[in-house]
Amino acid sequence: MTEAELYPWLVRGLVGIGVVTFLVLLFVSAPYGRHERPGWGPTISNRVGWLFMEGVSPAVFAAVYAQGSHAGEAAPLVFLGMWQLHYLYRAFVFPFRVRSPARPMPALVALLGMAFNALNAYLNARWVSELGSYAADWLTQPLFLTGAAVFVTGWAVNHHADHVLLHLRKPGETGYKIPRGGLYRWVTCPNYLGELVEWCGFALAAASPAGAAFAWYTAANLVPRALTHHRWYREKFADYPPERKAILPGLL
Ligand code: NDP
């Protein structure tokens, strides 16, 4: 089987992983952060887990991207930049900003995250630098411009929401508080909403099947987690704002 024949099956596989993830997470909360609990095997520290899990993504993307015959073209270079803008932060800055770096994370979560990120980065990098094809004027087309605007909006929402969360604790604190301000007025997890919007924007801008599969996976992973976080806040805080939804303002 050639790579061109295998590739669409791997993209379908990513969609399938999303379906399984969604169904499992409706019943079992992913055991990290506030939902970490015994029974998931050996643990590593939160910080190390994030570094390894997310560090795979920019590394694999860059290595696969560099092999592509379109690697020097303008549109693929912009997609490389978008990917790395997100993942260099998530892998190498975010883990050093968390205020609970020693909280245990099951090694299994980090390993599954690494495997997923390696596959996802390969599929997306391979599309933009080799299998996809972008006309010289792609970057001025409405599809790209709309997707890029959606991506930047999602990125800004994700960053602002993470920033609010990471400043809720004073140094040394490990407990939880009610986040407020920005999109927290309307939803419990604007960080997840921003992430989802970001990858929808990337998929649109690159008109990429792998990008669409990743956007679907992000929804499948983060919507159930947002619902779980939302229930958790309501149970923990009697004064939790009643009008707040989990992830989609006014809807869900
Ligand atoms: P969480 O919202 O669970 O936690 C983010 C950080 O903020 C953690 O350090 C957490 O501490 C802290 N925190 C959260 N809520 C509070 C609170 N109420 N009071 C004090 N501190 C708080 O996010 P995740 O860890 O699940 O995700 C982190 C980022 O990674 C997000 O931006 C998310 O979008 C992205 N991500 C993307 C995925 C994808 O599929 N594309 C998958 C998973 C994450 P603690 O760890 O102690 O709970």
Side-chain angles (χ1 to χ4, degrees), residues 3 30-31 82 101 106 108 110 122 128 138 154 163 178 199 202 225 228-229 241 243 248:
E3 186 191 17
M82 289 160 87
L108 180 67
Y122 158 74
V128 299
W138 185 268
H163 181 81
I178 300 179
W199 295 117
F202 181 88
R225 189 162 174 86
T228 307
H229 271 18
E243 70 285 359
L248 292 179

Side-chain angles (χ1 to χ4, degrees), residues 22 25-27 29 34-35 187-189 191-192 219-235 240 244-248 251-252:
F22 181 73
L25 291 183
L26 283 181
F27 302 101
S29 59
R34 78 197 63 186
H35 308 295
V187 290
T188 294
C189 298
N191 51 344
Y192 296 165
N221 191 14
L222 295 184
V223 170
R225 189 162 174 86
L227 294 171
T228 307
H229 271 18
H230 192 62
R231 272 195 303 273
W232 179 92
Y233 274 112
R234 283 181 180 268
E235 284 164 14
Y240 197 68
R244 235 180 247 191
K245 298 289 184 186
I247 184 165
L248 292 179
L251 292 173
L252 181 70

